[in-house]
Structure formats: structure tokens, C-alpha cells
Amino acid sequence: MSTLTSVSGFPRIGQNRELKKIIEGYWKGANDLAAVKATAAELRAKHWKLQQAAGIDLIPSNDFSYYDQMLDTAILLNVIPQRYARLSFDNQEDTLFAMARGYQGDKGDVTALPMKKWFTTNYHYLVPEVESAAEIKLNSTKPFDEFNEAKALGIDTKPVFIGPYTFLKLARTPEATELELDKGLVNAVAAVYVEVLAKFNELGAAWVQLDEPYLVLDKEPGDVELFKTLYTKILSAKGNVKVLLNTYFGHIADVYETVNLLGFDGIGLDLNEGREENLEAVAKYGVASNTTIFAGVINGRNIWRNNYATSLGLVDALKQVIANVAVSTASSLLHVPFSTEGETGIPAEDLKHFAFAVQKLDELKEVAALADATEDEKKASAALAANQALFDGTRVAADPAVAERIGKLSDADYVRQPAREERQALQREALGLPLLPTTTIGSFPQTKEIRAERAKLRKGEVTKEAYDEFIKAQIDAVIKKQEEIGLDVLVHGEFERNDMVEYFGQNLNGFLFTKNAWVQSYGTRCVKPPIVWGDVSRANPITVEWSAYAQSKTDHVMKGMLTGPVTILNWSWPREDITHEEQTKQLALAIRDEVLDLEAAGIKVIQIDEAALREKLPLRKSDWHVKYLDWAVPAFRLVHSAVKPTTQIHTHMCYSEFNDIIRDIDAMDADVISFEASRGDLVVLDAIHDAHFETEAGPGVYDIHSPRIPSEKEIEDRIYEILDKMDVKKVWINPDCGLKTRGNAETWPSLENLVAAAKAVRAKLDK
């Protein structure tokens, strides 16, 4: 019998972002819901057929979503807070969009659910909110409809769900606290999954996949018992359906024995992240005789070709313990671009090193075929020989100048003088800002006209000189508007930038760029990460000219805007031939050059965004410092350590849990930090208060990922919440993230209300 192949999940946005475009058209009233559904059905059919043509045995269904799978799971379980139910939409999709984006219209005014990073990825999930009165029940036919949809095409799929344990551990109360997992709630959730399996028994599904990535985290008291309680009930009622417990992003060594004893038909193990621990657990505890181990050897989070020799060694190690081994993606392919097809901008000699989602299907099939081959067949395999040729020798030459510069670094290069408290006093005097200074995070709306002008430049339809004049006009207008509404610290709007990471990569040595390698970040928001190909250094000044131009147009303080080294790496496709620490240090030196040039050009406030710092924090606490923070935090300090005491260094972070690393954030030694807090109900304020946080801070006072316009009163109330926990002298007032993706019609009224609220609070404090 040949080795089974399984895909955990497939990208859903479409090769050309078709889903994004049709949904955003619906939001703007340009098309109806029927058009959205038709496009979605076309994409699902295309993706199933692609996997079928590649010879994949277990093709996923229900991995599709209009916005987010955690949100879909909440709706499946009827976990819909009353404020959204009361909107009384006549279809489930509009309720879903209201939960995801907020709603402001004739049916009411509600904010969106909180949004957080999905483990260590740049994908964001919606945090389910479970009210005490929630009636947990099966509330959606989506999984069954999509299974039948595939069946009508002649494709038997493996329905995929977020598992009940992960759902309950990530869900929160309306107060943004962890759930009290009482017996009634746990049993009600388990009962829905039992009902789901019963329905798939009727429909004739062979396998159902339940994703439990939360299993790879450290266990708290009661976690293992919760998992056992849920799955004892679920597995006892599974009937003829085989249940695959799928884990990813780490290892489950500390719970593997329990998982093995529960009698799952399949256990999915990530053999990229958590490789050694997972293999040791299998060797130690064995595998139940009726269980198949799904070997996650095809990386669902990188774009580099799989090393077949390594993957075959991992499969072979498992086969020493049990014969029943399937070959699988280590996680959903949601986290990689669609296909390398059409990437003509990358030389063929370089492109052959990359595998996107479609190419990973072929890798999966080839690894499975080679796993079944005899030694003689492997030696004769052209596929194996071609693959090994990719990994022979050195892919790229090292840059000796970069190595020399890193070699000369000393401890003093990571320490800024004088101490922060002394700097902050000097900065207050030098900048002359009022109490509760107002600012934005950096970017302003990139309109259709701005994107069109950039496209014309790219195609050679306008000269660089004409384009620069266009950008200057945009900057002039946004400065004037900021001055009119009364913001204290201005930004130039970043109109010249396509993406906060790609723009920097284009001005650094060592990067490659794609044309269409889009990846979903949240909802319809997609990003196109650059590729770190070789050693990194600054090719030329990046932001200095535009920042200096903007400062010349105003007497207000103009903030220079940079992306930090950790975020550039985390939001790029990093190299795999050298460590992340080495790559980050190279990037830090490149951005350090930019910081010093901005300061020399007269920019007194410089923001170095580290939006993604928390994102790549290892999932096991014991690894936090030694495997990440011990080099990531110093890399940030290296960037800004040489500036004058009066130059104010800001940083920005978003959509992550900051509470548990708040002291490490303080240790970055920035002067000011702004961060997302509006969707998290400002829970980070308690951590700031308890840690005696020294950095001045601007917790976001409204959510820019929603189209709704917050009222002045709403923002004023937010400011008072912040002042309850923070010293008023250390508080900044700002939105929670950049405004690039918003429209002018929402942006300016929101900022006017923000400034008015700050002024109203200042006036009351003066009294």
C-alpha cells in the first residue's frame, strides 16, 4: 500500500487575490453577496482540483473562509455575542463581517471582536467572545455544504476544523479574560463536535481533521484534563469516521503519551518545528496499533524547496516505530503564497530554490513516492537527484564587508546614553509638546490614485521626476490637513511606500522580490513579503529625502518612519542557511545607518516600528529568552544607541499579547512606544502599571481595522481608562495602527475626534 499524502489546509484568497477583490467590492456596494458566493465556489473548486491533479489523497475542505477560521468556528458553535445578533442581518455572512470589522449603519453601531496573531505567524485570528448566556449549539451548515460541493465534483475531501481545545483556550469572556471552563460549557462544545462527526458519518466522510495547535504550548493546571474530557466524549461517538488530531508550530512531547492513549486514528506532528521532541516522544511511547502518524515534513511556513533527504530520514525514523506513516504538510499552506508560476522577475537560477503552495503539493507527492521506493529506486530517481543538487555547495557568496562590520561590534554599541529618565526630561524641553501629545502611527490612506501613480512609474509610463512631484503634492496636502485638525507630532504619510517591509528591502542589498506572492494577513488584507537571499547592507539612504522634505514644509515636529530589523526579518521570507540572529544583526546595522542619517537631516523624532517583535516569540516559555529575546531586544538597541539624548526614539507594536513580555519591551530602551490596545480592551494597561513601565506609551485609542468612526466621547472615555493606569506625563494619544488601508472618509473624522478628545481631557486636567 502506498504512503498516504495529506494537506492540512490550502490558501483561500486566490492566485490573483480574487476573494479579496470580490469581498471588498461587496463592502463598497459594487457587487452583491451572490457574486461573492459564486467567486468563493469557483476558488474552492479550483483549489480542490489542483490538489486532486497533484495526486493528494486527503484533500481538505472547510479550510475555506470569507474572513477567518476561528470566526467560522465561533459561528458554528453559535458563539455570537448579542450585540451582533441584535443587528438582525438576514444572512450569516453579514453577521460574520460585522463581528470581524465592526458595523456602523442603520442597524446599529458595534465595534469588532478583538484580533490577535495566530501563534507565531503573521496571520491574525478573531478572538471569540463567549457570553455567560451563550447557547452553544450547531449553528452552521458550512462544513457539510462544502463537503457536498466537493463530492459533486467527484472529490472526496477531509473536512478540517479548529479543534475544541484550541477554541476554548483562545476564546475570551466579554471582559477579555480567560474563560471559566465549567462542565456545562465544556460538555456543550464537545456535544457540537459529536454532532458534526455524526453528520459526516451520514455523508460518508472517511477522515475529519481537528486542528489543535494550542497543544504545542506549555500546559497549565487542568489543560490535559480538559483535553481528555473533550476528546473522550468526541472519540467515543465518532462512528466510522477516522479522526486526525493535527498539531503544528511546535512539539507535543509533554502530552504525546495522553494523545496516543486516547485512540486517535491519526496524529499529525510538525517535523519542522519541534522535530527532535516529537520524534523522541514517538520513540519513547510508541504508537497505538490503529493509529497513523502524519509526518509533517513539508514546511507550510517557508518558501524554500524541501530537502528530500532530510524528509525521507524523518519518515524512516517514524517507520522504525510504526508502519502506518502518512506524509503531510507540517501546517496549513495558508501561510505561503499560491504559486511560483509567473514570477519572471526572479532569475530562473534563483527561482528553482523556491516552492510555494502549488509546488509544495508536488513535493509532498514526490516525498511519499520516494518513501515507498527501494534503495535502488532512490539511487535511480531523477527527482531525488535534482533535489539534492539544490542543496549541494553554496547558494550565495558572503559579503566580507558585512562580516567585518559585525565583527567590530562591542557591548557599548548596544547601550544608549544617558539613561532614559534623563533623556525623557531633555526631550520634553527640546520638543515642547503639550500634555497628552497626539500623533498617528505613520501611514495615511493610500488611495486608488496613489496606487495608480506608483503602477505608472513601475511600467515606465511616468518619469521619476513627475512621480516625485506627485508624491510631494500628497505630502503637502497631508501635512496641511494634520496642521488644520491640530495633531501635535506629524508624519509625512508614507505615500511613496508600497509596503513597510518591501519598501525597505528594495533599498537594501541582499533581497529578492516577487510579483504576486501574496499571503493573507487578516480578512482581505494580504502582504507580499520580500525574500532575504544574501547578506544584508544598506544600498543607499531610504527615507531621508522624503522626511527632510516633509520637515521643511512645517514648523511642527515631523516624525521619521522606519521599520525595525526584527520586523523586517519576521515579515520577510528569511534565509535558512544562516541563523535568524545573524540576519537580524545585519539588518540592525543597515537601519542604524538610516537612523543616524535622519538625525543629521534634522529629524528630532524617529519611529522604528517593531510591529512583529512579539509574533516570533517561541511558544514554550523556556525558549523565550535563549532562543529569541536575548538577541532580538539587543538588535533593536543596536539600531538607536548612537543618537543624541534629545532625539526621541519611538517604536510601535500591534495585535499581539504584550503583557507577558512587558519588561522585555521596556528593555528595548525606546523613549516612546505605541501599540494596539483598542481591540484588546486595553488589558495591556494592567501589565504596564504592574511593571512600572518606564517607556512613555500610546495605547491605541481606536481600531483602524474597522471602518467605523469613533465618537469624541468614546475616545475621551478611552483616554480616562488609560489615565487610570498610567502617569499622565507618559501618555501619548494615537490610533492603534497605521492608516494606510483606511479611506479618507473614515480617517479624518476619526482623527478630528481623537484630537478633540485629547484637548477636552487636557482642559479638564488643567482645571
Side-chain angles (χ1 to χ4, degrees):
M1 185 172 138
S2 59
T3 297
L4 272 179
T5 52
S6 177
V7 171
S8 297
F10 199 76
R12 53 195 180 229
I13 210 75
Q15 185 167 10
N16 297 301
R17 293 178 292 161
E18 295 92 334
L19 189 64
K20 167 192 174 69
K21 293 166 186 174
I22 198 74
I23 290 176
E24 290 181 354
Y26 174 62
W27 292 340
K28 293 172 183 173
N31 51 262
D32 60 14
L33 194 56
V36 173
K37 290 181 176 181
T39 297
E42 288 169 13
L43 288 172
R44 287 192 295 268
K46 177 184 176 180
H47 299 164
W48 288 326
K49 288 173 182 176
L50 267 172
Q51 293 172 80
Q52 183 186 50
I56 303 303
D57 298 307
L58 300 183
I59 297 168
S61 62
N62 199 43
D63 55 337
F64 175 85
S65 178
Y66 286 119
Y67 208 97
D68 167 55
Q69 275 179 283
M70 276 292 285
L71 181 57
D72 291 347
T73 307
I75 290 172
L76 178 80
L77 295 166
N78 197 41
V79 177
I80 302 172
Q82 280 302 302
R83 63 184 180 280
Y84 303 112
R86 279 194 291 266
L87 296 172
S88 301
F89 289 111
D90 56 11
N91 62 77
Q92 212 165 63
E93 289 80 8
D94 281 331
T95 302
L96 179 148
F97 291 140
M99 293 169 75
R101 306 172 68 237
Y103 174 83
Q104 196 169 45
D106 54 5
K107 290 180 178 291
D109 185 356
V110 293
T111 57
L113 286 173
M115 186 164 68
K116 297 295 176 191
K117 292 286 177 75
W118 183 244
F119 297 88
T120 52
T121 73
N122 186 30
Y123 178 77
H124 304 63
Y125 72 95
L126 275 297
V127 182
E129 181 184 304
V130 184
E131 296 174 327
S132 57
E135 180 191 359
I136 308 293
K137 63 180 182 179
L138 183 60
N139 183 51
S140 172
T141 62
K142 175 185 179 293
F144 318 119
D145 296 341
E146 291 180 12
F147 179 81
N148 285 330
E149 201 178 300
K151 205 165 188 177
L153 297 170
I155 302 171
D156 290 322
T157 58
K158 170 197 57 176
V160 172
F161 294 84
I162 301 294
Y165 174 74
T166 295
F167 179 84
L168 287 169
K169 293 297 291 183
L170 292 177
R172 292 293 181 262
T173 67
E175 295 75 38
T177 58
E178 293 184 11
L179 297 180
E180 288 286 336
L181 296 173
D182 60 78
K183 189 176 179 182
L185 175 61
V186 172
N187 286 343
V189 168
V192 173
Y193 282 84
V194 166
E195 194 174 346
V196 165
L197 290 179
K199 181 68 175 174
F200 279 119
N201 265 287
E202 290 174 24
L203 295 176
W207 285 88
V208 168
Q209 175 181 311
L210 300 180
D211 284 358
E212 293 289 10
Y214 206 92
L215 273 185
V216 308
L217 273 70
D218 294 318
K219 308 300 179 290
E220 298 170 357
D223 281 355
V224 176
E225 281 307 309
L226 169 64
F227 181 80
K228 285 168 64 176
T229 299
L230 287 164
Y231 279 98
T232 299
K233 288 180 169 61
I234 292 166
L235 293 174
S236 65
K238 71 183 183 67
N240 294 321
V241 174
K242 292 182 177 180
V243 175
L244 164 59
L245 176 81
N246 199 37
T247 67
Y248 41 84
F249 303 152
H251 71 84
I252 60 166
D254 54 354
V255 75
Y256 175 80
E257 184 181 17
T258 298
V259 168
N260 188 42
L261 291 172
L262 280 167
F264 288 95
D265 300 283
I267 300 172
L269 300 176
D270 189 334
L271 297 183
N272 288 285
E273 303 178 74
R275 174 184 301 172
E276 288 78 15
E277 296 91 342
N278 276 332
L279 288 177
E280 286 169 10
V282 170
K284 182 176 180 179
Y285 297 109
V287 183
S289 58
N290 293 325
T291 300
T292 299
I293 293 293
F294 283 69
V297 294
I298 303 298
N299 197 325
R301 297 182 57 183
N302 76 359
I303 56 165
W304 301 94
R305 282 281 176 186
N306 183 273
N307 188 326
Y308 288 179
T310 300
S311 293
L312 291 170
L314 294 168
V315 172
D316 187 58
L318 289 170
K319 285 189 172 180
Q320 302 303 311
V321 181
I322 186 169
N324 301 333
V325 178
V327 177
S328 176
T329 59
S331 66
S332 172
L333 299 179
L334 168 73
H335 308 292
V336 295
F338 191 85
S339 176
T340 60
E341 180 190 348
E343 292 295 345
T344 53
I346 298 177
E349 190 61 25
D350 298 343
L351 192 64
K352 69 183 183 183
H353 289 277
F354 303 125
F356 298 174
V358 171
Q359 288 71 44
K360 286 177 187 288
L361 300 178
D362 295 330
E363 290 187 325
L364 189 59
K365 194 63 183 174
E366 286 184 350
V367 169
L370 287 165
D372 293 334
T374 65
E375 287 306 312
D376 286 343
E377 287 170 336
K378 286 175 187 171
K379 286 175 185 174
S381 169
L384 184 57
N387 180 264
Q388 286 313 110
L390 293 174
F391 295 90
D392 290 340
T394 304
R395 176 177 55 77
V396 63
D399 184 338
V402 171
E404 182 184 2
R405 192 174 179 196
I406 287 175
K408 288 180 178 177
L409 290 173
S410 68
D411 291 347
D413 291 308
Y414 295 88
V415 180
R416 186 177 174 197
Q417 299 292 352
R420 180 164 39 204
E421 189 174 359
E422 187 179 339
R423 297 194 315 258
Q424 287 172 334
L426 293 169
Q427 289 161 15
R428 287 188 193 109
E429 185 179 345
L431 297 173
L433 297 171
L435 208 59
L436 304 176
T438 56
T439 189
T440 63
I441 304 306
S443 58
F444 269 89
Q446 293 229 345
T447 61
K448 209 181 295 179
E449 293 75 23
I450 292 168
R451 292 195 301 273
E453 200 69 17
R454 189 181 301 122
K456 286 179 187 175
L457 177 69
R458 198 167 55 244
K459 295 171 187 173
E461 295 173 6
V462 296
T463 64
K464 179 69 165 60
E465 292 72 24
Y467 173 77
D468 286 351
E469 289 305 312
F470 173 82
I471 294 296
K472 284 178 181 177
Q474 299 296 316
I475 293 172
D476 292 347
V478 84
I479 288 174
K480 184 180 178 186
K481 189 71 176 171
Q482 289 174 89
E483 288 176 334
E484 284 174 359
I485 67 171
L487 282 163
D488 299 306
V489 175
L490 313 189
V491 296
H492 78 286
E494 302 179 21
F495 302 113
E496 78 285 1
R497 305 182 192 184
N498 45 6
D499 172 83
M500 65 181 284
V501 173
E502 187 175 59
Y503 180 76
F504 280 82
Q506 286 168 342
N507 291 278
L508 297 170
N509 297 312
F511 278 81
L512 291 178
F513 306 93
T514 64
K515 287 185 175 179
N516 202 37
W518 297 97
V519 178
Q520 187 176 8
S521 179
Y522 65 86
T524 61
R525 168 76 170 147
C526 299
V527 293
K528 186 161 61 68
I531 300 164
V532 187
W533 177 255
D535 288 340
V536 174
S537 59
R538 191 176 68 150
N540 47 259
I542 306 168
T543 66
V544 178
E545 183 182 349
W546 291 118
S547 293
Y549 172 79
Q551 185 63 81
S552 74
K553 291 291 182 174
T554 182
D555 293 329
H556 283 67
V557 175
M558 178 62 60
K559 184 164 57 170
M561 302 301 307
L562 304 175
T563 305
V566 178
T567 295
I568 291 178
L569 189 76
N570 286 346
W571 286 356
S572 299
W573 301 110
R575 293 167 66 175
E576 297 199 327
D577 57 331
I578 66 171
T579 66
H580 287 192
E581 178 179 358
E582 289 176 80
Q583 293 172 76
T584 304
K585 200 173 287 186
Q586 293 177 4
L587 284 160
L589 286 172
I591 303 303
R592 178 186 174 101
D593 292 341
E594 189 72 13
V595 167
L596 293 174
D597 279 356
L598 278 172
E599 184 182 63
I603 304 301
K604 297 173 183 175
V605 175
I606 302 171
Q607 182 171 309
I608 309 162
D609 285 349
E610 284 293 16
L613 179 87
R614 177 63 169 77
E615 178 179 302
K616 287 293 189 291
L617 190 72
L619 295 175
R620 300 277 178 170
K621 288 185 179 180
S622 58
D623 295 333
W624 282 6
H625 284 89
V626 68
K627 290 189 178 179
Y628 185 65
L629 291 171
D630 285 352
W631 56 261
V633 170
F636 183 83
R637 293 202 300 260
L638 177 61
V639 170
H640 69 79
S641 63
V643 298
K644 300 171 189 171
T646 51
T647 297
Q648 190 173 69
I649 297 295
H650 289 226
T651 190
H652 171 71
M653 296 181 187
C654 54
Y655 295 101
S656 290
E657 300 282 357
F658 304 116
N659 307 22
D660 44 14
I661 61 163
I662 202 74
R663 286 182 172 84
D664 298 287
I665 292 171
D666 215 16
M668 292 166 68
D669 203 25
D671 300 305
V672 182
I673 181 172
S674 55
F675 43 67
E676 180 276 323
S678 60
R679 279 201 175 196
D681 280 336
L682 296 169
V683 293
V684 74
L685 293 176
D686 290 326
I688 286 175
H689 178 269
D690 296 344
H692 305 290
F693 201 63
E694 292 182 12
T695 314
E696 294 180 20
V701 294
Y702 78 89
D703 173 23
I704 68 89
H705 294 80
S706 169
R708 63 182 296 279
I709 298 166
S711 68
E712 180 184 334
K713 173 69 165 56
E714 182 181 324
I715 296 174
E716 196 174 330
D717 289 344
R718 281 273 166 173
I719 295 172
Y720 283 118
E721 282 184 67
I722 293 167
L723 295 181
D724 280 344
K725 299 288 173 70
M726 287 183 64
D727 179 350
V728 66
K729 292 177 183 174
K730 291 193 172 185
V731 175
W732 286 66
I733 307 301
N734 45 258
D736 64 5
C737 213
L739 299 161
K740 174 183 174 181
T741 60
R742 293 268 56 90
N744 284 315
E746 308 139 20
T747 294
W748 293 110
S750 298
L751 289 177
E752 286 170 8
N753 290 344
L754 178 149
V755 171
K759 286 180 176 176
V761 174
R762 275 183 212 144
K764 288 177 185 174
L765 290 173
D766 286 343
K767 289 179 183 176

